[in-house]
Amino acid sequence: MQEALESLLERLGCRPTGRPVALSGGDMAAVYRLGTDAGELVIKRDVPERLAGEAEGLRALRSAGTDLVVPEVWAEEGGWLIMEALDPVPPTSAARRTLAEGLRALHAATSAPHGWPRDNACGATPQPNAPLDDGRAFQRERRLRPLTRACHRRGLLDDALRARLEAVALGLEAWLPDAPACLVHGDLWAGNVLYTSRGPALIDPAVYRHFREVDLAMLTLFGAPSPAFLEAYWDGRPPDDWPRREALFQLYPLLNHLLLFGGSYRAAVERALARAEAA
């Protein structure tokens, strides 16, 4: 273990009781679990700016006052993030409903504007969050257009596909009503949800304030939430144009995956784009 980490643990008043164990799923950061005399900890090693954004997001989610479990941040310093460890258990139908109700409560509290006081990251991609009053402008200028241009510069999008994405971004006001901004996890794929003995938990956030569909669309992109989950979240009343909204808010994470992992995601971008273009 590096000297800086040992010094940080000492200042936190805890002493390791074993060696750190590498955890899976750390595509962007090195992640370890460590037993200490003060409890089990998860330790991340990454670029300091990304860890600072994650720590801020965890604290924001913890302070939101929902029934969802969010790991407590013990320290974030010098490229290290130390937080409490959570022990996963198999999910149940009741736990999935609790997740839905917790997300609905998280999204119920709204405030202006769309965005966040600081930029953070979604995976390894810098995530611009400069606030805008109109959510459609935020989706266009802070999400769709920057990643469309970045993918085009790298040759991952041809001119025709870029033009179609730009047209969707420029046409949002024609069909998507503006809505008050709520706190969103920002990267809520199934791997960032843990089911624990204390209830469903959220990890690895990329928080900002925006449309609530951001989190729902991410959950359905890389997983299939149960009908009970969707029924509980929407309280039986999903928006009439949910399929189109779902596709729109899946474009940003798909473009991010295209940028990070290459052309294998282009077909998925095209499929979501076709659904978002539907009149």
Side-chain angles (χ1 to χ4, degrees), residues 40-117:
E40 294 284 320
L41 300 177
V42 167
I43 297 173
K44 278 192 172 185
R45 177 67 166 161
D46 199 359
V47 177
E49 291 77 10
R50 284 206 292 263
L51 292 183
E54 181 177 343
E56 182 180 55
L58 289 169
R59 292 182 177 115
L61 291 171
R62 277 182 65 88
S63 66
T66 74
D67 291 334
L68 298 174
V69 177
V70 180
E72 180 183 2
V73 174
W74 284 40
E76 177 273 310
E77 182 180 306
W80 296 100
L81 174 60
I82 300 176
M83 60 193 131
E84 69 169 314
L86 302 176
D87 294 313
V89 300
T92 64
S93 296
R96 291 188 178 97
R97 287 194 296 272
T98 299
L99 173 64
E101 291 161 359
L103 286 174
R104 191 173 66 189
L106 176 70
H107 297 156
T110 59
S111 64
H114 292 255
W116 197 247

Side-chain angles (χ1 to χ4, degrees), residues 145-156 259:
R145 297 185 86 181
L147 276 189
T148 294
R149 292 165 181 171
C151 289
H152 183 261
R153 284 194 299 269
R154 293 195 188 179
L156 297 165
L259 187 67

Side-chain angles (χ1 to χ4, degrees), residues 168-254:
V168 165
L170 291 169
L172 293 179
E173 283 83 354
W175 67 274
L176 182 66
D178 197 14
C182 66
L183 181 65
V184 295
H185 176 284
D187 191 15
L188 196 62
W189 70 288
N192 285 340
V193 176
L194 293 181
Y195 292 93
T196 77
S197 59
R198 293 160 49 195
L202 306 183
I203 62 172
D204 295 347
V207 302
Y208 54 102
R209 296 188 180 279
H210 197 31
F211 292 104
R212 62 179 178 169
E213 287 90 348
V214 165
D215 284 343
L216 272 291
M218 190 68 171
L219 273 177
T220 61
L221 177 58
F222 296 117
S226 68
F229 170 90
L230 293 172
E231 174 73 18
Y233 181 85
W234 292 119
D235 197 20
R237 297 186 297 273
D240 291 339
D241 59 355
W242 163 240
R244 190 177 186 185
R245 294 188 188 211
E246 178 185 44
L248 170 67
F249 290 107
Q250 287 176 347
L251 283 173
Y252 172 64
L254 284 171

Side-chain angles (χ1 to χ4, degrees), residues 222 253-255 257-259 261-270:
F222 296 117
L254 284 171
L255 286 167
H257 277 66
L258 179 63
L259 187 67
F261 305 117
S264 62
Y265 281 93
R266 177 182 162 126
V269 170
E270 291 185 272

